[in-house]
Amino acid sequence: MSNENQKPSATPAAVEPKDSNSPFLSEPLPQGTAQGQQHSLNQVQQDAPVSASVPKYNLPRGANTGNVGSTTHFGYQTVNSDDKAQKVAEVFHSVAAKYDIMNDLMSFGIHRLWKRFAINMSGVRRGQHVLDIAGGTGDLAKVFSREVGPSGRVVLSDINESMLNVGRDRLIDAGCSNVDFVLANAETLEPFADNSFDLLTISFGLRNVTDKDAALEAMYRVLKPGGRLLILEFSKPIFEPFSKLYDLYSFTALPIMGKLIANDAESYKYLAESIRMHPDQRTLKGMMEHAGFQNCDYHNLTAGIVAVHRGFKL
């Protein structure tokens, strides 16, 4: 495991929120079905792979920062920047019902160790406020719910309603009563007020964001002074021979497993491509510093297949 370490400063404890109204919102949440998806979870489980018949999603408001050009990448494809969020939404609507089992199969269960490492780096304490961005099915949020205790609060946010539904059902069944569920665009984090959270995490979600610079700036905005950001994401293997084997696995086995388990090979082909298009470890560290984060470091896991990046708002 390769590290670039610096010692963090301690994060302050948060004030206990009111139970009747989430303390993190700077404006009322949108009403209605936020992504235009009328499917229940049972329907999602029965759906075929996403096709043109899937309705256009009413996505949370985008950033429109101008930081990206008129086109961007969607895997290896070049697409209109305004269309990428829709395409990513279709991918995760398609895979939501099988997301957890596919993660176990694709990583041979190692993703649980990666997430545990990130949680151990979080420094989370009782009474704190935590935002898990692109939190999907709630693996991290479930642990944070226990760690912050009844005097703390966790927000599980995602841009995709299908994923958020799965996470909400799992955490409610687990008795996580101190968790809010908010549909939010990572590029703006618009519902959340400035200086709201002691800890921000985003796990395997940043690579799907169109404007990563805008997302990092939004994360800096909503983080409290003294708070920390953790990014757990696929990255660049540090050994060239291993990298070639990893490519072979990614572009052959993943689509096959996606077809057999989730009846969707194309979404897992996109997964492999999106990993290759994501910034490498040093580039992402520089992007975090440019957004204002200090004492940034990263830790390579499994020879750099995955990296945990950390930065602080001081």
Side-chain angles (χ1 to χ4, degrees):
M1 180 172 66
S2 172
N3 301 331
E4 287 197 359
N5 294 318
Q6 296 189 40
K7 296 296 183 182
S9 61
T11 55
V15 177
E16 182 175 357
K18 297 178 181 178
D19 291 335
S20 59
N21 185 29
S22 175
F24 309 110
L25 305 180
S26 59
E27 59 184 79
L29 291 178
Q31 300 299 310
T33 304
Q35 279 192 289
Q37 296 170 327
Q38 303 301 322
H39 303 281
S40 67
L41 263 186
N42 288 336
Q43 288 172 311
V44 169
Q45 292 170 346
Q46 297 169 3
D47 280 345
V50 168
S51 67
S53 64
V54 172
K56 182 77 173 179
Y57 299 149
N58 178 24
L59 295 164
R61 282 170 290 186
N64 296 320
T65 61
N67 290 346
V68 291
S70 59
T71 61
T72 188
H73 58 82
F74 175 72
Y76 288 166
Q77 301 177 44
T78 298
V79 299
N80 188 301
S81 295
D82 294 335
D83 294 337
K84 181 172 178 177
Q86 165 70 16
K87 290 181 174 294
V88 172
E90 291 173 356
V91 167
F92 283 93
H93 168 69
S94 176
V95 304
K98 301 291 186 180
Y99 186 78
D100 288 327
I101 189 172
M102 281 297 298
N103 280 349
D104 282 329
L105 290 173
M106 289 187 302
S107 71
F108 306 100
I110 299 174
H111 76 100
R112 299 178 184 274
L113 300 179
W114 296 333
K115 291 172 181 175
R116 173 53 60 183
F117 184 89
I119 291 167
N120 289 341
M121 287 183 62
S122 71
V124 65
R125 300 197 305 273
R126 297 189 76 78
Q128 289 190 324
H129 291 165
V130 178
L131 173 60
D132 186 20
I133 304 166
T137 57
D139 285 350
L140 269 64
K142 183 178 178 181
V143 177
F144 290 140
S145 171
R146 181 181 69 245
E147 294 298 321
V148 302
S151 63
R153 203 75 183 175
V154 177
V155 175
L156 174 61
S157 77
D158 205 293
I159 195 173
N160 188 279
E161 191 179 24
S162 295
M163 295 293 291
L164 199 61
N165 282 341
V166 175
R168 182 182 60 233
D169 288 352
R170 285 186 63 193
L171 269 61
I172 289 175
D173 288 345
C176 299
S177 59
N178 59 348
V179 181
D180 295 325
F181 305 92
V182 178
L183 197 79
N185 189 328
E187 295 181 21
T188 58
L189 299 177
E190 274 190 346
F192 307 120
D194 296 355
N195 306 316
S196 293
F197 298 95
D198 300 286
L199 170 67
L200 267 64
T201 59
I202 180 167
S203 174
F204 303 114
L206 185 62
R207 74 182 186 282
N208 298 308
V209 175
T210 303
D211 194 337
K212 296 174 179 62
D213 290 315
L216 290 169
E217 291 167 8
M219 294 174 201
Y220 187 86
R221 176 183 65 80
V222 304
L223 194 63
K224 292 180 181 180
R228 74 181 69 188
L229 166 67
L230 287 180
I231 301 172
L232 174 63
E233 187 55 89
F234 291 107
S235 201
K236 307 299 181 186
I238 56 179
F239 302 117
E240 186 60 28
F242 181 69
S243 180
K244 292 180 179 179
L245 289 174
Y246 180 48
D247 280 346
L248 180 64
Y249 170 75
S250 298
F251 288 101
T252 55
L254 294 192
I256 292 172
M257 284 191 286
K259 178 64 177 177
L260 294 175
I261 304 300
N263 196 27
D264 185 355
E266 284 301 309
S267 290
Y268 288 92
K269 178 174 178 286
Y270 161 75
L271 170 65
E273 293 175 353
S274 69
I275 293 170
R276 301 312 180 275
M277 299 300 291
H278 186 66
D280 64 18
Q281 290 91 323
R282 291 187 178 275
T283 302
L284 181 54
K285 180 175 180 280
M287 292 168 66
M288 293 171 65
E289 292 170 339
H290 185 263
F293 290 98
Q294 298 182 43
N295 295 343
C296 296
D297 58 23
Y298 63 83
H299 299 248
N300 286 319
L301 306 179
T302 317
I305 286 181
V306 164
V308 181
H309 282 73
R310 176 174 56 175
F312 298 85
K313 181 177 179 178
L314 302 180

